[in-house]
Amino acid sequence: MIRYIARRLLWMIPVLFFISVITFALAHAVPGGPFDREKALPAEIIANLNKYYGLDQPVWKQYVKYISDIIFHFDFGPVYSSRSRRVNDIFADHLPISAQLGILALLIALGIGVPLGILSALKQNSFWDYLGMAVAIFGVSVPGIVLGPLLILIFALTLRWFPVAGWGTPAKMVLPSLALGMRESAIIARLTRASMLQVIREDYIRTARAKGLTERAVMVRHALKNAFIPVATILGPMFAVLVTGTFVVEQIFAIPGMGKYFITSITNRDYPVVMGTILLYAVFLVIANLAVDITYAFLDPRIRYT
């Protein structure tokens, strides 16, 4: 297992290199520059800014300097829209907030989605099944841009149970985490239900029942672990998406996370912020997928890594 993990971690190097090359080339291929404004700056000022940031150099030289700074100094470069800050500062100040929000949303998604999916499968075609799938369809159908204001209207403005916006206290974390986690919980519920329905019809489940095991023991020992494998598969990408910032929910609840920086950096052509965020997302995605693969070995004893 250790050799497998080491090999997967080493594979991260060419993967991240390939992603960095492609995204760097695509970012610089977009027409316009980071200092283009509605009211155009004088050509001399733009030329000086391009020289200051090295944007007057060939693209390949810019890439070599950018990647060298990351490898040797762990420096993701300057922020063109704010000369007093660097991308590392944005990561240090705002990534922990987005990560907290993402982890809470993922916990809510698992806490609602898995039990709902199991209940719907075990009570198939009953009231509980229809109710569970209705909740799941609601979660999938209502986007965060609608659910967020709805939660604020009901629980903040009408019932006054939670603050309208902000971040930092447990009360302020509830509504944004729910707004972000409800859609993911619906996806997990539907996948868990489908997987459970397939597993509980397998021969080894009938064999376990024939041996005289109680229904609870059959479900807990044999069905749940195998049914959770497809769910675990989607948790890796889901985790990477949630912890790297979500623009809509963070904007609705005025959360100072990573989401708004990623969106505004694209429109402002702030290359270092775009590149840094994409590389960060790629690292989270690779590590999360590795964690999912390791989880497979614990869920299914037949899976072994060498």
Side-chain angles (χ1 to χ4, degrees):
M1 177 66 81
I2 294 176
R3 290 177 58 190
Y4 172 78
I5 294 173
R7 192 163 62 247
R8 286 288 300 271
L9 291 176
L10 288 176
W11 266 107
M12 284 178 62
I13 297 173
V15 169
L16 294 177
F17 173 73
F18 178 76
I19 292 173
S20 68
V21 170
I22 295 297
T23 52
F24 196 89
L26 290 176
H28 284 74
V30 176
F35 308 114
D36 292 345
R37 300 288 185 273
E38 291 185 9
K39 185 180 179 180
L41 295 171
E44 293 81 7
I45 294 179
I46 293 180
N48 287 335
L49 288 171
N50 285 335
K51 185 177 181 180
Y52 178 80
Y53 288 113
L55 297 175
D56 57 343
Q57 299 293 318
V59 174
W60 70 268
K61 280 190 176 180
Q62 295 180 42
Y63 174 77
V64 170
K65 183 179 186 309
Y66 176 77
I67 210 71
S68 299
D69 287 343
I70 293 178
I71 294 173
F72 296 111
H73 306 290
F74 198 67
D75 181 4
F76 285 84
V79 179
Y80 295 153
S81 57
S82 176
R83 293 185 60 181
S84 61
R85 303 189 75 189
R86 302 189 71 78
V87 179
N88 293 49
D89 298 328
I90 292 179
F91 288 168
D93 294 339
H94 304 285
L95 180 61
I97 296 173
S98 290
Q100 288 177 18
L101 174 61
I103 291 172
L104 287 173
L106 189 61
L107 292 176
I108 288 175
L110 285 171
I112 296 176
V114 172
L116 201 61
I118 293 173
L119 180 65
S120 296
L122 297 181
K123 306 289 184 183
Q124 188 184 14
N125 296 329
S126 69
F127 167 78
W128 296 109
D129 185 19
Y130 298 141
L131 178 63
M133 287 305 98
V135 173
I137 291 172
F138 174 82
V140 171
S141 306
V142 180
I145 197 170
V146 176
L147 184 60
L150 193 63
L151 292 175
I152 291 175
L153 178 65
I154 297 174
F155 296 105
L157 298 178
T158 305
L159 300 176
R160 298 184 183 277
W161 289 355
F162 302 103
V164 174
W167 191 258
T169 63
K172 292 179 179 177
M173 298 178 181
V174 174
L175 294 186
S177 301
L178 272 175
L180 188 58
M182 278 301 293
R183 182 178 181 277
E184 314 303 331
S185 70
I187 296 172
I188 291 175
R190 289 163 62 89
L191 192 58
T192 302
R193 178 183 182 272
S195 182
M196 276 293 290
L197 286 175
Q198 181 179 356
V199 167
I200 60 180
R201 291 182 173 86
E202 295 288 342
D203 291 340
Y204 65 88
I205 296 294
R206 282 194 287 268
T207 302
R209 285 171 174 154
K211 288 181 178 178
L213 293 176
T214 63
E215 190 65 18
R216 181 188 181 88
V218 172
M219 290 298 119
V220 173
R221 293 180 190 173
H222 301 282
L224 283 181
K225 287 177 64 176
N226 291 313
F228 198 70
I229 290 177
V231 179
T233 304
I234 66 167
L235 291 183
M238 190 177 285
F239 174 79
V241 170
L242 291 177
V243 299
T244 48
T246 53
F247 176 73
V248 172
V249 172
E250 288 179 359
Q251 284 293 101
I252 291 173
F253 291 94
I255 298 172
M258 284 287 299
K260 70 173 183 179
Y261 286 97
F262 183 56
I263 298 300
T264 55
S265 66
I266 293 175
T267 56
N268 292 334
R269 300 175 183 83
D270 207 329
Y271 306 134
V273 181
V274 175
M275 288 290 301
T277 309
I278 291 175
L279 287 177
L280 192 68
Y281 174 83
V283 169
F284 277 129
L285 188 61
V286 172
I287 292 176
N289 281 331
L290 174 60
V292 167
D293 290 344
I294 295 172
T295 305
Y296 285 161
F298 292 98
L299 294 175
D300 189 344
R302 295 171 298 179
I303 299 176
R304 287 288 180 269
Y305 299 113
T306 58

